[in-house]
Amino acid sequence: NQSVFSQTTYSNKVANFLVKDILYKANRDLQLAPITVTASHSERSAGGVHDFFSEGDYWWPDSSNPTGPYIQKDGLTNPYNFTAHRKAMIRFSQLAGTCTSAFLLTKNKKYAQHVLKHLKAWFIDTATLMNPSLLYAQAIKGRFTGRGVGIIDMIQMMEVAQSVRILEKYKIIPPKDLLVIKQWFANYLSWVTTHPYGIAEREAMNNHGTCWTMQVAVFAKLVNDLTL
């Protein structure tokens, strides 16, 4: 009995700390304006301003041929690679998860409405939305405009999709906006399950294949694609 009591007391302490941490971060996030892929663009991207772009970590300019294709330096991250879109997506994921959790804990709609503002920027507003594909992820200058291995970056949107499901349940998202958001994820699913990049990731026998499965399962659940 003493052991059970100690475990319960410890669990309560952990829960109380986590609640305070979530609310602290959520109140901080309320001050953050949306940042999507349109906020920054790389001259090395073969895509447009609405396309997600990232670069392979270990690829560098060739000192003997500065304007030529990048060369690989295994294990050495190039600090000058373009990472703004990946950071923006991570920021979006963390904000959506934190503010949705704060809404569930407090039932204060200000947190949910803040998530909705960011959802509209990423998926609805034609000036700032992201195109529903990762054609230009993990590019290598002079070699590849994009690679399938970049699809792993979309696991950040899993937290966003889970948030959408909760906000839908509580009728926070207007029906017309919900339709557009779900269509975005349906369009991405169509791309990632048919494009050669997506098919190659699906067949990968490592963490990339696992991350393909994770994201497809979560997004398919959001759009009620039971077969997929």
Side-chain angles (χ1 to χ4, degrees):
N1 289 340
Q2 182 63 38
S3 176
V4 172
F5 175 77
S6 298
Q7 290 176 11
T8 302
T9 302
Y10 180 74
S11 297
N12 288 340
K13 287 182 178 179
V14 171
N16 289 335
F17 171 81
L18 290 176
V19 168
K20 291 178 182 178
D21 186 57
I22 289 167
L23 294 180
Y24 169 80
K25 290 177 179 176
N27 287 321
R28 176 200 61 192
D29 287 351
L30 288 176
Q31 312 307 314
L32 300 180
I35 295 177
T36 75
V37 295
T38 61
S40 54
H41 186 72
S42 171
E43 62 181 11
R44 294 185 295 278
S45 174
V49 295
H50 294 280
D51 291 307
F52 180 93
F53 176 70
S54 63
E55 296 182 287
D57 286 345
Y58 304 144
W59 293 86
W60 296 68
D62 184 352
S63 58
S64 64
N65 183 18
T67 61
Y70 276 16
I71 59 173
Q72 188 177 35
K73 297 183 180 181
D74 194 28
L76 296 177
T77 296
N78 181 350
Y80 301 104
N81 277 346
F82 184 84
T83 60
H85 289 175
R86 182 184 295 135
K87 289 178 179 178
M89 192 182 286
I90 292 171
R91 177 183 187 263
F92 180 34
S93 172
Q94 292 175 340
L95 182 146
T98 299
C99 287
T100 303
S101 295
F103 166 66
L104 288 173
L105 289 168
T106 66
K107 296 303 184 289
N108 190 326
K109 289 186 178 180
K110 69 178 181 180
Y111 299 111
Q113 291 295 337
H114 191 62
V115 177
L116 179 57
K117 182 190 303 183
H118 287 255
L119 291 172
K120 287 181 176 180
W122 277 87
F123 305 126
I124 298 174
D125 188 339
T126 55
T128 59
L129 62 74
M130 172 184 157
N131 286 334
S133 72
L134 265 70
L135 280 168
Y136 307 103
Q138 287 292 307
I140 301 173
K141 182 184 175 184
R143 298 180 184 275
F144 303 101
T145 57
R147 296 181 295 160
V149 291
I151 288 171
I152 199 171
D153 282 336
M154 271 295 286
I155 62 172
Q156 303 300 334
M157 287 292 189
M158 291 168 55
E159 191 83 353
V160 174
Q162 295 290 74
S163 293
V164 172
R165 292 182 61 221
I166 291 170
L167 299 185
E168 177 185 12
K169 176 183 176 182
Y170 285 91
K171 297 179 169 37
I172 298 296
I173 307 175
K176 60 182 179 59
D177 291 340
L178 183 63
L179 187 64
V180 176
I181 292 169
K182 286 190 174 184
Q183 187 59 55
W184 191 97
F185 279 98
N187 290 344
Y188 175 78
L189 283 170
S190 178
W191 178 80
V192 81
T193 56
T194 60
H195 191 277
Y197 288 173
I199 293 172
E201 283 293 275
R202 182 192 69 196
E203 299 302 316
M205 301 300 289
N206 55 18
N207 61 308
H208 282 264
T210 302
C211 288
W212 185 96
T213 302
M214 285 165 50
Q215 61 180 269
V216 168
V218 170
F219 301 159
K221 191 169 187 178
L222 171 65
V223 303
N224 200 34
D225 187 338
L226 301 182
T227 301
L228 185 55

